Amino acid sequence: GIQVEQSPPDLILQEGANSTLRCNFSDSVNNLQWFHQNPWGQLINLFYIPSGTKQNGRLSATTVATERYSLLYISSSQTTDSGVYFCAVRASGTYKYIFGTGTRLKVLA
Amino acid sequence: EAQVTQNPRYLITVTGKKLTVTCSQNMNHEYMSWYRQDPGLGLRQIYYSMNVEVTDKGDVPEGYKVSRKEKRNFPLILESPSPNQTSLYFCASRRRDRGSENTGELFFGEGSRLTVL
C-alpha cells in the first residue's frame, strides 16, 4: 500500500520564525489534505490540495503530485500554531485515507 | 455551519457496559468513517460507510459495530467495551467522488475521548 512519510518529526521554533513541513508519498494520489491537531485534540482542516498551491493567511501549501510530495509553509509562527500537523492522502482508485505520523510543532513565546 | 458532531466528547465507563458514540453531519455527505487515535499508532480506520445501509470494515474493526440507517448519522457501538478500547475517537465525512480528479474533502468531528476501566 501507499506509504506516507512526514518530516521533521519534531520542530521547536521561536515565535515569529518560518518553517516548512514536508509530506512524501509513495504512489499517485487523488486526494491530499493537511490537518492541524491542536493541544485539545481537535483535527482542523488546513488545506485540501491534491495538486498546486494554496494560501490561507500565514499558511500556504504546495503539492507536486508528479514528484510525490507536499509542503506546508508556516510564516511568522505564533504560539497558537503549536500542535501536530498531519498530511493524509488517498491513493488513486481507493477509498482509504492514509495518514502520516505527523510533525509535532512547538512555538515558544 | 457545516459540521460533524460527535457525542459524548468525554466518557469514562467500565468494562462490559455497552455504549454508543453518536456522529451526525449536516453536509449531506455520502461517505462517513470512524477512526481511533492512539499514541505511537496514529489514526487508524475502524469502519466506513459509502452510503445509507452500506458499511465496511477498516483496519481495526474488532470490538466495534456501526450502522447507517440515515444519511446524516453514523453511530459507533461498543457492545462490550474493554480497556484496550480506551482511545480518542474521530468521526469524519465527505461527499462522494465526482470522477477521479474531483474528490471530496474530509471533515472531522471534534473527537470523543473514551476511557474504559
Side-chain angles (χ1 to χ4, degrees), chain B residues 96-107:
Chain B
R96 65 177 177 81
D97 293 345
R98 293 169 189 156
S100 62
E101 301 305 317
N102 188 352
T103 62
E105 182 178 352
L106 192 65
F107 292 89

Side-chain angles (χ1 to χ4, degrees), chain B residues 21-113:
Chain B
V21 186
T22 63
C23 174
S24 181
Q25 50 90 8
N26 63 0
M27 295 172 277
N28 201 35
H29 285 169
E30 289 83 2
Y31 175 95
M32 298 184 75
S33 61
W34 277 102
Y35 295 84
R36 60 178 289 175
Q37 186 181 29
D38 303 288
L41 296 175
L43 277 137
R44 294 179 292 170
Q45 190 178 56
I46 304 171
Y47 270 95
Y48 65 95
S49 169
M50 298 302 295
N51 214 325
V52 175
E53 302 292 2
V54 181
T55 63
D56 209 346
K57 296 178 181 179
D59 296 317
V60 287
E62 295 78 19
Y64 304 94
K65 284 175 57 177
V66 293
S67 68
R68 187 91 182 272
K69 294 185 170 60
E70 303 165 287
K71 196 173 187 180
R72 64 182 293 127
N73 296 323
F74 190 44
L76 180 70
I77 303 157
L78 286 74
E79 293 269 2
S80 183
S82 62
N84 65 11
Q85 292 178 297
T86 292
S87 188
L88 177 59
Y89 290 87
F90 288 99
C91 180
S93 76
R94 66 169 174 82
R95 62 162 173 79
R96 65 177 177 81
D97 293 345
R98 293 169 189 156
S100 62
E101 301 305 317
N102 188 352
T103 62
E105 182 178 352
L106 192 65
F107 292 89
F108 280 93
E110 292 189 316
S112 297
R113 197 172 292 277

Side-chain angles (χ1 to χ4, degrees), chain A residues 5-85:
Chain A
E5 294 181 356
Q6 291 186 242
S7 60
D10 296 280
L11 190 56
I12 300 175
L13 298 174
Q14 206 65 39
E15 201 168 28
N18 302 330
S19 61
T20 301
L21 282 57
R22 187 176 180 104
C23 173
N24 291 334
F25 43 95
S26 60
D27 206 345
S28 62
V29 299
N30 61 9
N31 187 315
L32 187 147
Q33 291 182 238
W34 283 96
F35 297 92
H36 174 217
Q37 187 165 35
N38 63 24
W40 296 271
Q42 296 170 321
L43 280 166
I44 312 299
N45 285 36
L46 296 178
F47 293 102
Y48 166 69
I49 188 165
S51 63
T53 297
K54 289 186 178 179
Q55 178 150 13
N56 184 3
R58 295 181 296 104
L59 273 59
S60 64
T62 294
T63 297
V64 184
T66 53
E67 297 187 21
R68 298 182 183 168
Y69 73 88
S70 183
L71 302 173
L72 177 68
Y73 305 96
I74 304 174
S75 64
S76 304
S77 57
Q78 301 175 357
T79 56
T80 52
D81 294 332
S82 297
V84 183
Y85 289 80

